[in-house]
Amino acid sequence: MTLYIGREASKLWKRICAETSAESNLFIDNWKYIIAGFVFQYIHGVAARGVHYLHRPGPTLQDLGFFLLPELGQDKAYISEAVFMFVFLSFFLWTFHPFVVKVKKFYTVQIWCRVLAYLVVSQTLQIFTFYSTQLPGPNYHCRPGSKLARLPEPDGVLEVLVINFPQGVIYGCGDLIFSSHMIFTLVFVLTYQKYGTRRCIKQFGWSIAIIQSLLIVASRKHYTVDVVVAWYTVNLVVFFVDKKLPELSGRTNGSSLILLPLSTKDKDKWTKEENHKLLNGNSVNPADRRPRSQSNGKNLEDVNINQVDTSMNSTP
């Protein structure tokens, strides 16, 4: 038993080292996109803090979701945050599973480049939206009489640029349309929908997204319109970003087949093989257009072709 555990641990360590090497090379090629995506998260935080200075508390607007869903109360507001943290941490850990599992569908660097692209476009639209019209916040700390409903005028630009994390994020006001929590949740669910492999987890993810939407409204953290707009906006953003950006290069395992030529040399080899098949009266199957397994550093198709050439030359 101890020997088995030691052998598996050794395999796991080799797998982690090999994956780290591959991911490091990808990060060197894509570090600008990764850094730009994280820098924009700070810009989004500054924008949310800036709109808090513009927020003016007032009576809660009439809302269908408030009418249909009972209010959870201030003491249960943590439930929606707990659900969001569960989604965030689960997705974060899933994106790093190529380091430990044998069968891999994507590279971690590539998936985070795509996720950050979704987030940047969605958050850019969100910034333009909540700066266009400031609604009175429905959350408890944004209502009239709360000391946190308005921020005092800043003493300088530096005060605006410094984000009071996490208090400034949790107790923000004014950044309503559309919900940041739903942006992250839907981006994560849509990403797993496309690149994940477990159908049950995909269904569970969509169920969590719906539950999260209801909890946000029931906690009075957002109006219903903030959640509804997030649902169709994020889905459209993901659709158009995927249309504009190239598809992620899939990972090939040992059992996978390459159905298209990778170079002119490979294409010439396949053409030569097809000619010999036609000379021998055999039909050519397009599905067989793939490189053969290697033997002693040479493709088997090269060996077969050389044998045919030799036999043809030896024939009187």
Side-chain angles (χ1 to χ4, degrees):
M1 184 64 180
T2 305
L3 181 62
Y4 173 79
I5 295 176
R7 184 168 61 250
E8 292 300 316
S10 177
K11 292 180 180 179
L12 177 61
W13 175 249
K14 291 179 180 179
R15 194 177 302 138
I16 293 174
C17 293
E19 188 67 22
T20 302
S21 177
E23 296 284 356
S24 298
N25 293 331
L26 282 174
F27 181 78
I28 292 174
D29 295 334
N30 299 279
W31 68 270
K32 295 180 180 179
Y33 307 108
I34 298 289
I35 298 300
F38 282 108
V39 168
F40 191 84
Q41 299 309 302
Y42 166 76
I43 295 174
H44 176 263
V46 173
R49 179 173 174 82
V51 80
H52 196 167
Y53 287 102
L54 303 177
H55 177 256
R56 296 296 180 266
T60 303
L61 302 179
Q62 185 175 349
D63 189 277
L64 180 62
F66 292 177
F67 177 75
L68 296 177
L69 296 175
E71 190 171 350
L72 287 180
Q74 195 169 1
D75 57 331
K76 297 180 181 179
Y78 68 90
I79 298 178
S80 64
E81 295 296 333
V83 173
F84 175 76
M85 288 304 301
F86 169 76
V87 173
F88 185 90
L89 293 176
S90 300
F91 180 82
F92 181 82
L93 294 175
W94 170 74
T95 59
F96 283 89
H97 83 270
F99 284 85
V100 293
V101 300
K102 187 175 181 180
V103 180
K104 317 159 196 281
K105 190 177 179 181
F106 57 81
Y107 290 98
T108 301
V109 171
Q110 289 182 330
I111 205 73
W112 275 107
C113 284
R114 186 57 57 93
V115 167
L116 289 171
Y118 297 150
L119 291 175
V120 167
V121 177
S122 299
Q123 290 170 329
T124 300
L125 296 175
Q126 183 200 24
I127 291 172
F128 281 113
T129 305
F130 64 60
Y131 267 102
S132 300
T133 303
Q134 290 85 45
L135 303 178
N139 211 333
Y140 303 102
H141 63 269
C142 298
R143 297 177 182 178
S146 174
K147 296 180 180 179
L148 300 174
R150 296 186 62 180
L151 292 179
E153 293 186 6
D155 297 331
V157 179
L158 184 61
E159 185 177 345
V160 180
L161 297 178
V162 175
I163 302 175
N164 185 14
F165 185 85
Q167 184 176 359
V169 177
I170 297 175
Y171 296 103
C173 297
D175 53 334
L176 293 175
I177 303 178
F178 39 98
S179 171
S180 293
H181 285 69
M182 290 309 302
I183 289 177
F184 279 90
T185 300
L186 290 172
V187 164
F188 294 163
V189 172
L190 287 167
T191 303
Y192 189 85
Q193 177 69 28
K194 185 172 185 179
Y195 300 105
T197 56
R198 303 280 184 175
R199 182 180 179 183
C200 59
I201 297 180
K202 294 179 182 180
Q203 295 173 344
F204 178 71
W206 286 113
S207 300
I208 289 293
I210 295 173
I211 293 173
Q212 175 77 337
S213 303
L214 299 176
L215 287 174
I216 288 175
V217 177
S219 301
R220 304 302 188 253
K221 295 181 178 179
H222 279 276
Y223 294 107
T224 306
V225 65
D226 307 337
V227 176
V228 172
V229 172
W231 269 91
Y232 64 74
T233 302
V234 175
N235 276 276
L236 289 173
V237 166
V238 171
F239 174 78
F240 284 108
V241 169
D242 284 339
K243 293 281 286 185
K244 291 295 182 181
L245 296 181
E247 183 58 54
L248 297 185
S249 57
R251 305 186 65 148
T252 56
N253 300 318
S255 60
S256 61
L257 300 176
I258 303 175
L259 301 179
L260 294 175
L262 299 179
S263 63
T264 306
K265 183 179 179 181
D266 293 332
K267 186 176 180 180
D268 293 339
K269 290 178 181 178
W270 289 325
T271 304
K272 191 174 183 180
E273 183 183 12
E274 290 172 1
N275 291 336
H276 283 291
K277 284 185 177 182
L278 293 174
L279 288 174
N280 294 330
N282 298 326
S283 61
V284 178
N285 186 1
D288 290 333
R289 296 188 176 188
R290 58 182 181 269
R292 305 292 180 85
S293 58
Q294 292 186 347
S295 175
N296 297 329
K298 295 183 178 181
N299 285 339
L300 290 182
E301 62 178 356
D302 293 338
V303 178
N304 295 334
I305 293 173
N306 291 332
Q307 290 177 352
V308 173
D309 289 340
T310 305
S311 62
M312 292 179 65
N313 293 331
S314 61
T315 303

